[in-house]
Amino acid sequence: MSTNFFLNTQLTALIEKGFSCIESHPCHHLESGIREAIYLALGAHHDPIAHKRRRLLAEQAINKVVPLWYKTWPQDTLLMPLLDRFIRYKERRVVEKNEFLHTQLDEDWERMSAFADETWIQDPLHRKHRFAESMVGLAVVLTTELVLFDSFVTSEESVLPQKDEEIDLMENELHFYAAFAYAGGPPFPMHYFDTGSPEKYKDYWTWWLQEALPYAWKEGMNK
């Protein structure tokens, strides 16, 4: 924490709270309420610096977990068009929220959701499905949405439940899906699935709080 001298007081306090959450959680998971408070602390909706910080945080997350997808499905071509769109959109300024972009995102989400379903429908005994890794696809779609529309923060108040278990699995946000993929399962009991590795959850969220978040904060101020 000594390297985070450039963070503001609010974010420093939330990071400390985040570490306490990780330590106390059975799976060492960072719950949705604290994550949302952190998103809000990065700045207001559509503030250019705040938006860049949230984008950089998201970009680090998908860079961390995309290799899991290709390790599982090395010949797959489903994810590459999504990654190409993400790179293209982040490198240019999108002024209007036009209908095509929303339609494309909806189609991408439906495609990756269906793929996630297929990873375990094809394996009814649930012996070797890779449902966790399929969460990478959902994280990539939501990262692209964030790049275009700063979609994490739409108000100055918290709107998410405090715990991820209270949120429908397919209605969460990208950092939840990235952590899910990294840890190999959900951070709470879920029918048909083993919970994720507590050690991997702790590793992921420690990295997120200690490295990814400070980097996003600092680099967000650079042009």
Side-chain angles (χ1 to χ4, degrees):
M1 296 296 290
S2 60
T3 60
N4 297 345
F5 61 89
F6 49 82
L7 299 176
N8 67 18
T9 303
Q10 181 187 16
L11 198 57
T12 299
L14 285 169
I15 289 174
E16 295 288 356
K17 186 176 181 180
F19 278 113
S20 295
C21 176
I22 293 170
E23 287 302 321
S24 62
H25 192 283
C27 276
H28 299 306
H29 174 60
L30 187 66
E31 289 283 16
S32 59
I34 297 178
R35 297 200 311 275
E36 187 178 34
I38 288 171
Y39 307 150
L40 292 168
L42 291 176
H45 183 48
H46 283 320
D47 172 79
I49 292 177
H51 187 186
K52 183 179 180 181
R53 286 169 172 162
R54 285 187 280 270
R55 177 181 66 77
L56 289 170
L57 186 59
E59 186 174 348
Q60 291 177 88
I62 62 169
N63 285 343
K64 194 172 184 68
V65 298
V66 160
L68 297 173
W69 176 284
Y70 286 110
K71 182 178 180 181
T72 306
W73 301 290
Q75 305 303 318
D76 177 72
T77 58
L78 186 62
L79 191 66
M80 186 56 67
L82 276 67
L83 292 171
D84 287 343
R85 275 194 287 279
F86 161 69
I87 293 169
R88 188 166 68 251
Y89 292 149
K90 80 169 185 174
E91 291 178 349
R92 69 180 177 89
R93 186 180 298 274
V94 176
V95 179
E96 296 182 354
K97 305 176 184 179
N98 63 62
E99 185 177 347
F100 170 77
L101 294 174
H102 284 292
T103 300
Q104 183 68 70
L105 287 168
D106 288 344
E107 291 175 353
D108 288 344
W109 179 263
E110 291 300 321
R111 191 176 300 112
M112 301 313 295
S113 298
F115 182 83
D117 288 343
E118 286 298 316
T119 63
W120 63 271
I121 289 173
Q122 293 176 359
D123 181 22
L125 297 180
H126 306 287
R127 289 175 175 168
K128 54 185 179 182
H129 61 76
R130 309 303 300 221
F131 185 70
E133 288 85 347
S134 73
M135 297 293 101
V136 173
L138 303 183
V140 171
V141 175
L142 293 179
T143 298
T144 302
E145 183 181 44
L146 182 147
V147 167
L148 290 170
F149 307 123
D150 197 14
S151 50
F152 272 166
V153 178
T154 56
S155 71
E156 295 181 358
E157 298 179 356
S158 175
V159 296
L160 288 177
Q162 291 297 299
K163 294 186 177 182
D164 287 291
E165 195 169 2
E166 301 170 6
I167 304 173
D168 185 280
L169 180 64
M170 303 307 287
E171 296 180 0
N172 215 307
E173 53 83 30
L174 76 91
H175 294 287
F176 171 81
Y177 296 129
F180 189 124
Y182 187 85
F188 48 77
M190 188 171 134
H191 194 49
Y192 289 131
F193 300 98
D194 294 333
T195 54
S197 162
E199 292 77 15
K200 288 185 177 180
Y201 266 113
K202 186 173 185 177
D203 179 67
Y204 181 87
W205 290 119
T206 298
W207 164 80
W208 196 85
L209 290 170
Q210 208 166 54
E211 298 180 36
L213 185 56
Y215 173 84
W217 177 270
K218 184 178 181 181
E219 293 299 313
M221 293 183 288
N222 296 333
K223 294 184 179 181

